[in-house]
Amino acid sequence: MPVTGAAVFAEIRATLDRIETGQAEPVARAADLIADSLAAGGVLHVFGTGHSEALAMELSGRAGGLIPTNKLALRDAVLLGDLPAAALADPKSERDPELARKVWELAPVRPGDVILIASQSGGNGSTVEMAQIAKAAGHTVIALTSLEHSKAITSRHPSGKRLFELADVVIDNGAPHGDAFLPLPDGGSVCAISSIANAAIAQALVAEVTSRLIDGGVQPPIYRSANVEGGDAHNDAWEARYAGRIRRSAY
């Protein structure tokens, strides 16, 4: 496969086609669970570390998205807790299970809320720990991961578990082991695809959840752009219904 922009677009199209057909069932099951939770007043909490945090941002607090969504991030332990900033200076901090526990202790999670966790590898300590904590607390856990990658690695969590082995629903983003997909002469690869695949899956989930709410006679709580007339007033009114349960900040 040539290392060209055209090859990138070709692989993106092929991956999205595989996701659309191969992941329709888990996407539908995840949408059922999220819609049921939101209809009952619940909130969707989304967690990801590293580049998987982009999935949490894709689902939380953006125009056209679901308002009752809350992003959980490792930095919460610093900005909202008492963890020193130096604790996150190491780019490998995501491997520490204890960080997930600190984030969870600060999270505004209530019974009935759904937890969605994104991780390309599904094997880092904080990712697996978050899934275990959420399951132990009685929450439904949805995983967005690469099964090819995850099945090829050894978990870094003391339990030896990987994310897909703990989740109630697993959505496979179709990314390869190592994420990058265009081969290089030295045996490596370039151009990662997981973020693009995750973003597409996120928007598919938003659409499916919205459809289910409408079919159930529930007004879907959808953000309008803050950069269009009336957007702030619309969003502020909806956010007030979830005061203390969803965090919206610049970080």
Side-chain angles (χ1 to χ4, degrees):
M1 188 181 300
V3 181
T4 64
V8 170
F9 283 110
E11 184 60 25
I12 289 171
R13 285 190 289 268
T15 299
L16 294 183
D17 284 345
R18 291 194 297 271
I19 291 170
E20 182 181 9
T21 56
Q23 298 304 301
E25 181 181 355
V27 167
R29 285 193 286 125
D32 286 341
L33 292 166
I34 296 169
D36 288 347
S37 174
L38 300 193
V43 166
L44 173 64
H45 300 271
V46 192
F47 178 71
T49 66
H51 283 92
S52 292
E53 188 181 337
L55 184 279
M57 297 175 68
E58 188 72 21
L59 282 170
S60 302
R62 70 167 303 163
L66 297 162
I67 292 172
T69 51
N70 183 56
K71 177 170 69 73
L72 303 176
L74 293 182
R75 70 178 68 88
D76 292 351
V78 173
L79 295 171
L80 302 172
D82 57 5
L83 193 72
L88 299 182
D90 185 347
K92 296 182 176 65
S93 295
E94 64 181 352
R95 299 178 183 179
D96 182 1
E98 185 58 28
L99 282 178
R101 187 163 295 280
K102 291 182 182 297
V103 172
W104 182 267
E105 290 170 352
L106 295 163
V109 180
R110 294 185 184 179
D113 290 351
V114 172
I115 315 298
L116 192 158
I117 302 174
S119 173
Q120 165 69 10
S121 70
N124 280 315
S126 62
T127 298
V128 176
E129 184 74 8
M130 183 65 75
Q132 286 193 334
I133 293 170
K135 289 290 293 179
H139 296 277
T140 294
V141 173
I142 299 168
L144 179 48
T145 189
S146 164
L147 287 178
E148 178 181 323
H149 190 141
S150 197
K151 290 180 179 180
I153 59 107
T154 299
S155 174
R156 292 189 172 106
H157 190 271
S159 70
K161 296 289 187 180
R162 293 159 292 183
L163 177 61
F164 76 89
E165 297 172 296
L166 297 167
D168 297 285
V169 179
V170 178
I171 303 173
D172 184 4
N173 66 18
H177 180 219
D179 205 352
F181 59 91
L182 293 181
L184 295 173
D186 66 0
S189 300
V190 65
C191 299
I193 199 168
S194 64
S195 296
I196 294 169
N198 286 354
I201 291 168
Q203 295 305 325
L205 280 172
V206 170
E208 292 293 330
V209 170
T210 299
S211 176
R212 283 158 174 73
L213 292 175
I214 292 172
D215 290 346
V218 178
Q219 182 182 3
I222 304 297
Y223 274 112
R224 294 178 185 172
S225 172
N227 298 309
V228 301
E229 186 176 354
D232 281 346
H234 169 87
N235 297 339
D236 289 347
W238 269 106
E239 286 183 343
R241 305 186 189 188
Y242 300 96
R245 304 185 63 199
I246 59 175
R247 296 169 178 155
R248 299 292 179 255
S249 65
Y251 74 85

